[in-house]
Amino acid sequence: MLNSVNEIFHTFGASVVVPIIIFVIALLLRVKPRTAMMSAFYAGVGLTGFTWIISEFTPVITKVVRQMVNNTGIKLPVVDIGWEAGSLAAFGSTVGLTFFVFGLLVELVLFILGITKIFLPSNIWNNFGYMIWGTLAFYATHNYWLSLGLEFFMLLYSLILAEIQADRWSNYYGIENTTVDALHNIEQVVPAILLDPLWNLLGFNKVKMTPKDFKKKLGVFGEPITMGMLLGLILGILGNLSSLGTMRAWGQITKVAVQLAAVMAIFPLITKVFAQAFTPLSAAIDEQQKKKTHAKQDNRYDKKRWFLAVDDGVGYGESATLISGIILIPIMVLMAFILPGNKTLPVVDLIAIPYMVESIVAITRGNILKVVATGVVWFSLGLYAASWLGPIYTGAVAHYGVAIPTGVVMVTSFNLVARPLNALVFAAFISENPLWITLAIIIYLVLLFGLRKYRPQIWQYLNKMAAKNA
């Protein structure tokens, strides 16, 4: 049965399966069939557009990053080969497939019982983020039930983080009653909240570094397309420092600049198409909430308000998100070389950094200085996590997924496993020590109690902190 479900999903792909799910959800929300059908079409077209752009852009940036790395002459034993290998391993293991099938049922039960206010089945594709950790745990411990328990526990605490940031995310990215909950990108809620007061003490909140400020101060040079062009030139030059006197180098530099400018221009257009899939749904959710509260006023802080989980591609092309992510690419390559004891070299997944910073962008209201500072701190810790997990991840990928590239000692995914919080939870479970596992569960229960009782106050606090940014 598990293999049959896996075959069906991979045969049709996310661009077909997700629209079907969106169509069903829309009908359940009493959206008119015609509107529900269009929502499904927009979802499929949007996901296809995301795939096309990223698949075309990834090789371009990856080649420049590899050249940047080669120019340094420094070699690190754990090489980032991208999240796709981890996804294949996740779907290739029995414990991963078990979660994919039964995780959907658990997600529905959690939502129906009110344990979470996030409707996750609308973003079923990103369940591989849970599955890879269970696959790693099973490879390390050979304990099936422990590994499956880890997957479901990670689901539980990721839903808490998704709900904490939900109001800020939906407000910033402009699609009401939606949020993201990809496990590999949601834990950044923690550093975004914890480090924000520190950045305010340092005066970062007074620094006007948002796309609107750039456009106002710099004119044409502050336009997203121009910013993309300039960032592309910088990346291209860094990747060709040893050959700047050649026409070939400048050919690549200018191509990277134009292609990055194109991403800055095209991605927001695709995002708007994808967002149209959820606009009728979010409106229906809002209408239902008003009926339940018997009120016509704004129900933003209502404890019963719930959210649809959406693909984090929705936020990728937003200007502050994309600019912050591109700035962090050379910085994280530099950090990989200067951090003492680090063994991980980020390469392919560097293009995924815009996905990785969405929560930070939303919580800081697009303050690029804060986003970059938070990213440097958290992703640097993530490099250490990936270094520790290198042998386990390499073994699991080789066993359940794909062949390891020739000449590479160990592999990793900067996007999937360079995750300090996820790595701590993973360490607690694979220790098989009841004390550490119980402690993790207790912390979750405390957070759940606090969220259920004080959610309006938490959201008000985050909005108050966001408003402090210039």
Side-chain angles (χ1 to χ4, degrees):
M1 181 180 119
L2 296 178
N3 289 329
S4 296
V5 173
N6 181 36
E7 185 178 356
I8 290 171
F9 187 83
H10 281 284
T11 298
F12 292 96
S15 60
V16 173
V17 176
V18 172
I20 292 173
I21 294 174
I22 294 299
F23 179 73
V24 173
I25 294 172
L27 293 180
L28 292 174
L29 289 171
R30 298 180 182 177
V31 173
K32 293 180 179 179
R34 179 182 179 280
T35 305
M37 183 179 68
M38 291 307 299
S39 290
F41 289 165
Y42 282 130
V45 171
L47 285 172
T48 302
F50 292 150
T51 302
W52 285 351
I53 295 296
I54 294 298
S55 62
E56 286 295 317
F57 189 50
T58 297
V60 174
I61 293 298
T62 301
K63 185 176 181 180
V64 172
V65 170
R66 288 190 185 278
Q67 292 173 194
M68 197 186 309
V69 169
N70 292 335
N71 287 339
T72 66
I74 301 174
K75 303 294 182 181
L76 294 171
V78 184
V79 181
D80 163 33
I81 63 171
W83 62 267
E84 290 88 348
S87 174
L88 290 174
F91 279 98
S93 70
T94 302
V95 71
L97 282 177
T98 302
F99 179 86
F100 186 74
V101 174
F102 294 101
L104 177 61
L105 299 177
V106 172
E107 290 160 8
L108 285 169
V109 171
L110 291 172
F111 180 76
I112 291 170
L113 294 178
I115 295 173
T116 181
K117 299 296 183 182
I118 308 298
F119 189 81
L120 195 54
S122 52
N123 190 32
I124 189 175
W125 160 243
N126 279 311
N127 274 359
F128 76 85
Y130 307 105
M131 294 157 59
I132 185 59
W133 288 98
T135 300
L136 296 181
F138 186 67
Y139 179 82
T141 66
H142 303 291
N143 187 326
Y144 178 85
W145 294 108
L146 178 84
S147 304
L148 190 61
L150 170 63
E151 291 173 308
F152 283 110
F153 180 75
M154 286 186 153
L155 167 67
L156 289 171
Y157 87 75
S158 73
L159 287 167
I160 284 183
L161 296 180
E163 193 170 341
I164 287 173
Q165 65 130 39
D167 180 67
R168 281 297 320 142
W169 193 94
S170 63
N171 178 266
Y172 183 84
Y173 287 102
I175 311 176
E176 286 303 310
N177 304 310
T178 62
T179 186
V180 292
D181 185 49
L183 178 66
H184 37 290
N185 294 329
I186 195 63
E187 71 161 38
Q188 281 74 254
V189 171
V190 175
I193 294 174
L194 294 181
L195 293 175
D196 198 66
L198 172 62
W199 303 145
N200 288 345
L201 285 175
L202 296 175
F204 286 10
N205 59 310
K206 298 178 181 178
V207 178
K208 296 182 178 181
M209 284 187 65
T210 67
K212 287 184 179 180
D213 293 317
F214 289 148
K215 188 174 181 179
K216 184 177 179 180
K217 291 182 178 180
L218 303 176
V220 67
F221 291 101
E223 293 284 349
I225 293 179
T226 311
M227 293 289 292
M229 185 79 71
L230 294 174
L231 289 171
L233 284 173
I234 294 171
L235 282 179
I237 290 171
L238 290 175
N240 289 275
L241 284 176
S242 61
S243 56
L244 289 177
T246 66
M247 183 178 296
R248 182 179 180 182
W250 283 101
Q252 185 188 52
I253 291 169
T254 51
K255 285 181 180 178
V256 171
V258 173
Q259 287 168 326
L260 184 50
V263 170
M264 294 289 289
I266 297 171
F267 219 106
L269 300 178
I270 299 174
T271 298
K272 287 181 180 179
V273 172
F274 190 59
Q276 289 184 67
F278 299 96
T279 302
L281 278 66
S282 62
I285 294 171
D286 202 44
E287 185 63 30
Q288 287 188 10
Q289 292 299 326
K290 287 180 179 179
K291 288 181 179 179
K292 287 181 180 179
T293 56
H294 304 287
K296 294 183 179 180
Q297 70 269 19
D298 179 27
N299 62 338
R300 180 175 184 178
Y301 294 116
D302 189 276
K303 288 187 176 182
K304 294 182 179 180
R305 184 184 175 195
W306 60 279
F307 298 81
L308 282 171
V310 299
D311 190 279
D312 38 21
V314 172
Y316 187 99
E318 190 273 329
S319 297
T321 306
L322 197 50
I323 290 171
S324 300
I326 298 300
I327 291 174
L328 278 165
I329 288 177
I331 293 177
M332 291 317 303
V333 172
L334 175 64
M335 296 304 296
F337 293 144
I338 66 176
L339 288 173
N342 170 58
K343 299 177 182 179
T344 299
L345 177 62
V347 183
V348 179
D349 274 348
L350 288 172
I351 190 62
I353 293 182
Y355 292 121
M356 297 160 65
V357 299
E358 283 185 28
S359 296
I360 308 172
V361 172
I363 289 171
T364 61
R365 207 174 71 163
N367 185 316
I368 293 174
L369 180 59
K370 281 187 177 181
V371 177
V372 172
T374 304
V376 169
V377 172
W378 196 249
F379 299 151
S380 293
L381 293 175
L383 289 174
Y384 287 114
S387 298
W388 169 61
L389 287 163
I392 299 175
Y393 188 85
T394 302
V397 166
H399 186 76
Y400 298 110
V402 298
I404 305 302
T406 304
V408 175
V409 180
M410 289 182 285
V411 298
T412 191
S413 164
F414 183 62
N415 189 21
L416 293 183
V417 300
R419 295 282 173 265
L421 181 58
N422 293 346
L424 281 176
V425 174
F426 176 80
F429 272 74
I430 67 167
S431 72
E432 300 185 75
N433 187 323
L435 177 63
W436 292 117
I437 296 174
T438 301
L439 179 61
I441 294 172
I442 290 173
I443 293 173
Y444 161 76
L445 291 174
V446 171
L447 290 173
L448 178 62
F449 173 79
L451 178 61
R452 292 278 70 85
K453 187 172 183 179
Y454 300 108
R455 191 178 80 163
Q457 291 88 335
I458 293 171
W459 286 357
Q460 287 168 357
Y461 169 77
L462 293 179
N463 286 323
K464 182 179 179 181
M465 294 299 291
K468 290 182 179 181
N469 294 288

